[in-house]
Each structure stands twice: as structure tokens, then as C-alpha cells.
Amino acid sequence: RRHRRHPGISMRGQCARSSNDVGRCSRPGSQMSGSFHAGDVVALVGPDERTVARGVVAYDPSELDFMIGFSTRQLPQDLQRPVVHADDLVRI
């Protein structure tokens, strides 16, 4: 059986420390891999490049590129929801 490789979004700081913290993260890290669009399943990848969860991404890559480097409060209201909501992810 072949495993499908999902596009990935790197996580940073507390988000990447353990799979228990993944559901509390709302901002992306600095790297994205593969091709995806809002509504696709992506891998959430820690700094050690291991997948810690998979979930449905709420944004397109162009929106995520814009968001990187800003705190949630600095973003426009329509970009303040989590990148992957805790209800839409599975920890691995």
C-alpha cells in the first residue's frame, strides 16, 4: 500500500514542541512545501521535519505568505482564524 505525501506547513516555537500543542497554534512557520489550496489536507511539520499532525488548511499559500511575521492582532480580521483549526486536525 502506498502512502500519499501531503503538502506541508512548518511550525515554530510552542506549536512545534509536541503534538499536544498543535491544536493551540494559529500561525504558520516560515516554510511551506508542495502545492495546496484552502480546504486541502496538509501535514504539520516540526523543526525536526517530522509530521506531527495532518489537517485541513484554512488559507491559500499566498495568504500564508502574507501572514508570516505578524502576530494575530496585527492581521486583518478575516486572517485571524487558525491556519488549521483544532477541530480539523489529527495528531500523529
Side-chain angles (χ1 to χ4, degrees):
R1 185 168 112 160
R2 298 180 78 181
H3 294 279
R4 183 174 152 216
R5 183 166 175 87
H6 295 280
I9 298 175
S10 67
M11 297 183 304
R12 60 182 177 182
Q14 179 180 336
C15 298
R17 289 194 188 120
S18 77
S19 63
N20 293 329
D21 294 320
V22 173
R24 291 180 241 163
C25 300
S26 60
R27 302 280 61 90
S30 59
Q31 297 180 355
M32 293 172 274
S33 64
S35 176
F36 62 89
H37 300 283
D40 288 349
V41 173
V42 296
L44 301 176
V45 181
D48 60 358
E49 299 195 20
R50 293 176 58 175
T51 298
V52 295
R54 288 194 184 94
V56 179
V57 67
Y59 299 98
D60 287 326
S62 61
E63 293 170 305
L64 293 176
D65 279 340
F66 172 79
M67 294 164 61
I68 291 171
F70 291 99
S71 73
T72 301
R73 291 184 305 234
Q74 293 173 314
L75 293 169
Q77 186 70 32
D78 62 325
L79 296 178
Q80 291 187 8
R81 63 193 187 281
V83 173
V84 176
H85 193 277
D87 291 344
D88 297 326
L89 72 84
V90 175
R91 292 172 181 88
I92 297 176

